[in-house]
Amino acid sequence: GNSVTQMEGPVTLSEEAFLTINCTYTATGYPSLFWYVQYPGEGLQLLLKATKADDKGSNKGFEATYRKETTSFHLEKGSVQVSDSAVYFCALMAPQNRDDKIIFGKGTRLHILP
Amino acid sequence: DTEVTQTPKHLVMGMTNKKSLKCEQHMGHRAMYWYKQKAKKPPELMFVYSYEKLSINESVPSRFSPECPNSSLLNLHLHALQPEDSALYLCASSQEGLAGYTGELFFGEGSRLTVL
């Protein structure tokens, strides 16, 4: 079946550090891939997405590239800020069945120290 | 600001109480969702309404009863809950119904439920 595996954290970095959160997936066909972010006390927000191989999603300085050869969608940011502290969820949706549900990874908690 | 509004933000109820959670969106989205999220876990899908019809029920116990009065509103009626039902309940919407679902969800801030 379809699944998403991401590093569980917590990940603690200093402000302006480089961030990588690893995400790999297992899916039949060609899934769409997402990163959602959940700030403290809030619901989830879509951060970025990619719908086909080699697509790069980007938003708010974050980037992730859909790598079919390695079945990965790692999240990166060149210089993190304290305001980036949140939980990040990698997710996929397999498109061959429109009734399929979005599958979330377990989430990675990120702490940024000033 | 989120465009999916959930009320109440916090709810404490006893196991014999009846209460409801409410969700509203005015983006013209055609599908609405209820998710349950326990601490430090990803959200778990409970129900999906597509074009105001219940399309998915993830084998949720009958003490949770969803209702979609119109395309903008979604309710979750709660009755005879158990302490293990305490969680953050998230409402979400998507622009298309399930037939055109792209995986892009818009979430509310959630209703934090505590069952005593």
Side-chain angles (χ1 to χ4, degrees):
Chain A
N2 300 329
S3 66
V4 174
T5 302
Q6 61 179 110
M7 52 194 294
E8 292 192 23
V11 173
T12 302
L13 296 172
S14 297
E15 203 166 23
E16 299 183 3
F18 183 86
L19 168 71
T20 300
I21 300 178
N22 291 336
C23 172
T24 57
Y25 68 90
T26 301
T28 54
Y30 300 91
S32 295
L33 300 174
F34 309 85
W35 277 101
Y36 279 84
V37 58
Q38 186 172 28
Y39 297 103
E42 298 185 11
L44 282 70
Q45 301 176 25
L46 178 63
L47 181 60
L48 53 84
K49 68 173 184 176
T51 58
K52 60 183 186 295
D54 299 325
D55 267 2
K56 178 185 284 187
S58 61
N59 186 23
K60 299 181 180 180
F62 291 90
E63 293 183 342
T65 301
Y66 189 143
R67 300 286 188 200
K68 188 161 180 63
E69 63 276 15
T70 54
T71 62
S72 65
F73 193 55
H74 304 321
L75 182 68
E76 296 182 336
K77 186 175 185 181
S79 177
V80 293
Q81 305 300 311
V82 172
S83 57
D84 294 326
S85 298
V87 180
Y88 293 79
F89 293 96
C90 186
L92 72 82
M93 193 196 72
Q96 68 271 19
N97 180 357
R98 288 293 185 186
D99 287 344
D100 205 354
K101 283 83 69 175
I102 190 167
I103 296 171
F104 290 98
K106 292 185 176 181
T108 301
R109 186 170 299 273
L110 175 66
H111 295 290
I112 305 300
L113 304 175
Chain B
D1 288 343
T2 180
E3 296 185 68
V4 176
T5 304
Q6 291 188 243
T7 56
K9 291 192 183 304
H10 300 275
L11 178 63
V12 179
M13 60 186 292
M15 289 189 286
T16 58
N17 292 159
K18 285 185 180 181
K19 297 287 185 182
S20 296
L21 305 180
K22 298 184 183 301
C23 176
E24 188 169 3
Q25 60 87 13
H26 293 289
M27 296 179 282
H29 287 181
R30 308 309 302 182
M32 296 186 76
Y33 308 74
W34 280 116
Y35 280 86
K36 173 183 178 180
Q37 186 178 28
K38 302 284 271 186
K40 298 186 179 181
K41 298 291 186 182
E44 299 173 12
L45 184 64
M46 300 174 71
F47 303 103
V48 181
Y49 276 83
S50 180
Y51 293 92
E52 301 169 42
K53 294 184 179 179
L54 183 62
S55 298
I56 294 176
N57 177 341
E58 290 288 284
S59 302
V60 179
S62 60
R63 57 185 184 269
F64 295 91
S65 176
E67 177 194 19
C68 189
N70 61 55
S71 60
S72 299
L73 295 174
L74 184 66
N75 298 321
L76 186 62
H77 303 298
L78 314 170
H79 174 54
L81 295 191
Q82 303 298 310
E84 58 265 28
D85 297 321
S86 298
L88 181 68
Y89 288 84
L90 293 165
C91 175
S93 67
S94 64
Q95 186 170 7
E96 299 297 329
L98 285 180
Y101 184 42
T102 63
E104 296 185 44
L105 295 170
F106 293 76
F107 284 86
E109 293 189 345
S111 293
R112 186 161 300 281
L113 173 67
T114 302
V115 182
L116 301 176

